[in-house]
Each structure stands twice: as structure tokens, then as C-alpha cells.
């Protein structure tokens, strides 16, 4: 059975059948299968944007009065721009092979 996982929801649905304490590894390079541990799960943060009203600060900075008391967050926001699709991707980051195991993945994990 071939499973195509395209979204976080697909991954959640697929993982429901497994026990919470089962180990997870990444298998890649079907022609020379390697195995790696999952080091992290990340997204790419959008670029930092400078506040046009207060050029020494980034968007979302805090406002303070002359005595340094917190007033609130600066309300200025850049015009809506289409979000870069790369910023929406959830990346599963490989972290090298598990030192107590072989660095090779079983070829059977790639059987379709």
C-alpha cells in the first residue's frame, strides 16, 4: 500500500494506528537506503520587516511612554502580501544516523 502524506493532517491521520512510544526514523535514498533519526520539526520564519513608523524597530514591537512604561504593541502592519508558500511548509529535519543502529534502512520500507 502506497501512502502519500502531503499535509500535517495526513500525517496525524496516518500515525493514529501506531503506539505513542514507537520509535521514529527517516528512510531516504531508495537506491542506497539510509536511515536517520528525526532531529527537529520546523517551519521557515518569514523575513523580519522593519516598522515604517519606527524604522529602528521591527513590526510588532512594543510601545513605551517617556518613563519606559508599556503602552502596547505598535499597530502598524505592512500591506497584505501573498505569503511565501515556502513559509507554510513543515520540515521534518533529519539528524544523522542512530549510532547504535546501522546507518542503512531496510530496502523493504520502499516496497510499494
Amino acid at each position: 500500500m502506497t501512502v502519500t502524506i502531503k499535509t500535517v493532517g495526513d500525517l496525524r491521520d496516518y500515525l493514529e494506528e501506531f503506539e505513542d512510544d514507537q520509535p521514529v526514523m527517516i528512510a531516504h535514498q531508495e537506491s542506497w537506503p539510509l536511515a536517520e533519526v528525526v532531529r527537529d520539526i520546523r517551519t521557515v520564519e518569514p523575513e523580519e520587516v522593519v516598522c515604517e513608523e519606527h524604522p529602528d524597530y521591527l513590526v510588532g514591537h512594543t510601545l513605551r511612554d517617556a518613563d519606559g512604561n508599556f503602552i502596547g504593541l505598535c499597530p502598524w502592519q505592512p500591506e497584505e502580501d501573498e505569503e511565501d508558500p515556502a513559509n507554510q511548509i513543515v520540515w521534518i529535519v533529519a539528524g544523522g544516523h542512530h549510532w547504535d543502529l546501522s546507518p542503512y534502512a531496510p530496502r523493504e520500507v520502499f516496497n510499494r
Side-chain angles (χ1 to χ4, degrees):
M1 172 177 82
T2 300
V3 176
T4 302
I5 297 173
K6 293 183 179 181
T7 66
V8 171
D10 292 344
L11 183 59
R12 278 191 191 110
D13 290 345
Y14 186 74
L15 291 175
E16 281 181 350
E17 70 181 77
F18 298 98
E19 297 297 322
D20 288 345
D21 59 351
Q22 279 187 261
V24 174
M25 298 282 290
I26 297 172
H28 63 97
Q29 293 187 180
E30 185 173 357
S31 61
W32 193 263
L34 295 175
E36 298 194 44
V37 297
V38 176
R39 187 181 82 199
D40 206 346
I41 297 177
R42 298 269 178 116
T43 57
V44 175
E45 295 297 322
E47 286 186 35
E48 296 176 335
V49 178
V50 174
C51 176
E52 285 187 6
E53 290 186 11
H54 308 99
D56 292 336
Y57 298 94
L58 298 176
V59 169
H61 66 90
T62 57
L63 297 173
R64 299 191 178 275
D65 64 19
D67 296 325
N69 298 315
F70 177 76
I71 299 173
L73 296 178
C74 177
W76 185 85
Q77 291 291 319
E79 286 184 27
E80 285 295 320
D81 203 2
E82 228 178 271
E83 190 79 27
D84 182 351
N87 294 343
Q88 302 295 316
I89 296 172
V90 175
W91 294 97
I92 298 176
V93 182
H97 76 85
H98 190 293
W99 292 102
D100 296 335
L101 301 174
S102 168
Y104 301 104
R107 289 193 185 276
E108 294 80 20
V109 300
F110 292 102
N111 287 343
R112 295 186 175 125

